[in-house]
Amino acid sequence: MPIIDGKRGKAINPMVVTSRKTAERKTMSERFPLEKIRNIGFIAHIDAGKTTVTERILFLTGRTYKIGEVDEGTAVMDWMEQERQRGITITAAATTCYWRDYRINIIDTPGHVDFTAEVERSLRVLDGGVVIFDAVAGVEAQSETVWRQADKYHVPRICFINKMDRVGASFRRTLSMMAERLRATPLPVQVPLGSDADFAGVIDLVEDRAWGFDGQPDSEPRAMPIPEEAQAKYTEFRQLLVERLAEIDDEIMLAYLGDSKITPSMLRAALRRVTLAGKGVAVLCGSALKNKGVQLLLEAIIDYLPSPLDMPPVQAVDVRTGNKVARPPQDDAPFAALAFKVVSDPFMGRLVYFRVYSGRVRAGAQIFNATRNMRERIGRLLLMHANRREEVAEADTGTIIASLGLKNTFTGDTLCQPSPPVLLESIRFPEPVLSVAIEPRTKADQDRMDDALQRLTEEDPTFKVAYNQDTGQTVISGMGELHLEVIVGRLLAEFGVGAQVGRPQVSYKETITRPVKAEGRFIRQSGGRGQYGHVWLELEPLERGGGFQFVNNIKGGILPKEYIPATEAGVREATETGVLAGYPVVDIKATLYDGSYHEVDSSEIAFKMAGAIALRNGVMKAGPVLLEPIMKLEVVSPQQFLGDIISDLNSRRGRVEYFETYDHMCTIRALIPLVEAFGYTTTLRSLTQGRATQSMEFSSYEEIPSELADRIKTVGAIHG
């Protein structure tokens, strides 16, 4: 860490903390060596302070000239109207700033579990992360989720314990929770001086100094000797840092065992090595709201987090040969990039964000979308600052950029040069777990809604739209209640759609349990030419998922051939409205084997009606039952909540089929009726203090217990 003697900008260490007033303004047109680029993201539980940290960094680096406040709705990074109204981050926002001649590309991610896809796709393209913790709450539910996501993508990270000036803040407790809940190796490089309202600085364990803060927005850390009363604390944590580093870093271990002096430069180098290797995480502390410790966090981002050169070459698959190929982070390598976000900008149109892993691309260049197997043309290239933009002519390796003109590129697509085409690993998103029905108020609203829903599904891979033929509803699905509230809010306000929102009906089915033979007669006489149709059907139950089968077994010309399709059409129509509660009849085989006709009065419409009558008569005699959709549920939770989760599943008619425990976590797999699954996400969060995650997908249809079936027959339908 740099050491400054308290006079503004006067450094007594080669690594200078740059003051905001003297920070050089730079632009994307300037060439940056890859080793001086940092692609990072701020990730954390909701309300830990990610956006506040980002706003302070933008101010300190000269990117903005006024500090945005989340509570006042003036945060630059929370630019959506819904974000400012709710005081939370909903969509990941990108920006670029400059510090100590380094370019830092930042993505500020949401903290709410409903928007976990934003974190997922951000981590996929980032080189490093800053995990922020609330010093009072410690490691919270979404902290665990984002930590696991970062583990999945092997993202090196450092930690910042925020809000040290709040009542109840505990640095030690948060460190303990990191080790216990995250199975991490925290390496404290700072410890707080004072606590709660008396928090006034930090002890720098690397530089053997203390830093004082006065809390003013534009002031710099003030270097000072470690206070006498804090010497014991310094000795304790300095020893802890060295011992933990010695356990995971060979150079420090050799120096430690040999009683050699461990210098600050040795510690910084070791911290960088273990961070990049994922063996440990440097831990800093402060209070972003009061500008305490943010400059030191910026220094740590540069000192410990990786540049694109520190990351292994991205692996791709050659589309033509299927062989694995590497794309090294070099400007002169073949161009390869991953699209990770699509945004419908109300002023600019369709923006596609992508990360350049190798090579460079110019505005107007023709490229190849290897995922869609089609050529695309890069329009304008835009360096984004939340919802503001700076146009540039070229994007080089390591850049996170947005482009206009990519009409057929979607989240997870690979962009590359036409030859040889390569595919990068795409991004996998969880399936939506909650649905609501939405209906437009007018025909004009229908057209606007169709267009808006298409644009929203392009933006958000976890937002799904389907038309339910059984209920006649447009059903939208998302990750939770807040997710769908935000979507509906955008439909109404941003896209001007007039719509009514309700809850979707559960789509029950009907089937039969035994084979029967049934007759269908349709005879009408009205003075002139009448109507005559007469058929015999044999109905048989099929296995679950068998659908509907129609077999023509008419022999010897008992019925003319032209009446067979009409009979089948009548039978099929009759299966759409069953006999018990009006639900479709499924898993049934209907065989036409006999009948009769009249030379004059028979017609296609008569045989269509006869087929429908035969089907309904036969279903009534074949032991009809109701079927309900069953969902496959997987829950990942800390072990301490296992009993409560299983008890709740039993109360919902769920069947636990499998569970396993590992470390302090457990995975539960169960089958649960869809009608019982509504509201489960909220209940699960309540049961587990928000620390469990779950995914749900359709499994099969199963027979409903008789007591519930009687209730459904009585009311005719049940709304989920």
Side-chain angles (χ1 to χ4, degrees), residues 646 648-656 670-673 676:
I646 292 178
D648 180 69
L649 287 174
N650 290 336
S651 72
R652 294 172 179 266
R653 297 190 287 128
R655 302 195 308 272
V656 176
L671 296 175
I672 181 173
E676 304 286 356

Side-chain angles (χ1 to χ4, degrees), residues 117-153:
E118 292 287 329
V119 183
E120 187 86 14
R121 59 180 167 193
S122 298
L123 287 172
R124 172 64 179 81
V125 299
L126 292 171
D127 297 326
V130 178
V131 187
I132 299 175
F133 299 100
D134 183 325
V136 178
V139 177
E140 299 174 88
Q142 189 67 357
S143 307
E144 296 180 63
T145 302
V146 299
W147 195 271
R148 291 197 293 266
Q149 288 173 308
D151 281 341
K152 179 168 72 173
Y153 292 111

Side-chain angles (χ1 to χ4, degrees), residues 28-44:
M28 275 287 293
S29 60
E30 294 187 49
R31 263 305 166 210
F32 266 81
L34 281 173
E35 64 271 15
K36 287 185 172 288
I37 294 176
R38 300 289 184 269
N39 290 315
I40 67 161
F42 291 108
I43 55 177

Side-chain angles (χ1 to χ4, degrees), residues 1 28 78 103 131 346 443 471 519 612 617 646 663 675 708 713 715:
M1 282 291 182
M28 275 287 293
D78 286 348
R103 187 169 84 200
V131 187
K443 180 65 171 65
T471 62
E519 181 184 25
N617 289 341
I646 292 178
D663 292 336
V675 70
L708 293 177
K713 294 173 193 176
V715 300

Side-chain angles (χ1 to χ4, degrees), residues 291-303:
N291 188 33
K292 295 180 178 181
V294 181
Q295 292 100 327
L296 303 182
L297 175 61
L298 271 167
E299 294 294 327
I301 288 170
I302 289 171
D303 289 343

Side-chain angles (χ1 to χ4, degrees), residues 95-304:
T95 189
T96 299
C97 61
Y98 305 90
W99 185 259
R100 215 208 310 156
D101 293 325
Y102 283 74
R103 187 169 84 200
I104 306 175
N105 299 319
I106 298 173
I107 295 183
D108 176 32
T109 65
H112 197 283
V113 67
D114 282 9
F115 308 106
T116 188
E118 292 287 329
V119 183
E120 187 86 14
R121 59 180 167 193
S122 298
L123 287 172
R124 172 64 179 81
V125 299
L126 292 171
D127 297 326
V130 178
V131 187
I132 299 175
F133 299 100
D134 183 325
V136 178
V139 177
E140 299 174 88
Q142 189 67 357
S143 307
E144 296 180 63
T145 302
V146 299
W147 195 271
R148 291 197 293 266
Q149 288 173 308
D151 281 341
K152 179 168 72 173
Y153 292 111
H154 307 291
V155 176
R157 69 216 80 147
I158 62 175
C159 299
F160 182 71
I161 300 177
N162 192 26
K163 305 184 180 182
M164 286 303 307
D165 54 353
R166 286 186 57 199
V167 175
S170 174
F171 184 78
R172 290 179 184 270
R173 176 173 170 269
T174 305
L175 287 179
S176 175
M177 293 176 74
M178 289 173 62
E180 178 185 343
R181 293 191 177 181
L182 304 178
R183 296 297 187 265
T185 303
L187 302 168
V189 296
Q190 297 173 356
V191 290
L193 274 176
S195 61
D196 300 348
D198 295 328
F199 173 67
V202 297
I203 302 171
D204 190 332
L205 302 177
V206 175
E207 296 287 349
D208 300 341
R209 299 283 296 189
W211 297 93
F213 311 123
D214 60 19
Q216 296 303 310
D218 203 16
S219 62
E220 299 165 8
R222 185 182 68 260
M224 59 186 187
I226 299 171
E228 191 66 33
E229 64 273 15
Q231 284 291 336
K233 189 176 188 180
Y234 161 74
T235 302
E236 174 195 353
F237 277 95
R238 180 64 152 67
Q239 184 70 14
L240 174 67
L241 173 63
V242 172
E243 288 178 353
R244 286 186 178 175
L245 275 175
E247 292 173 1
I248 54 180
D249 184 80
D250 291 342
E251 291 190 25
I252 297 296
M253 180 184 67
L254 291 174
Y256 182 68
L257 295 177
D259 289 330
S260 301
K261 180 176 175 58
I262 298 176
T263 64
S265 60
M266 292 172 62
L267 284 176
R268 278 194 300 273
L271 284 164
R272 183 173 182 81
R273 285 193 298 271
V274 300
T275 299
L276 299 187
K279 296 179 180 179
V281 287
V283 182
L284 299 87
C285 61
S287 172
L289 187 65
K290 301 291 180 59
N291 188 33
K292 295 180 178 181
V294 181
Q295 292 100 327
L296 303 182
L297 175 61
L298 271 167
E299 294 294 327
I301 288 170
I302 289 171
D303 289 343
Y304 305 134

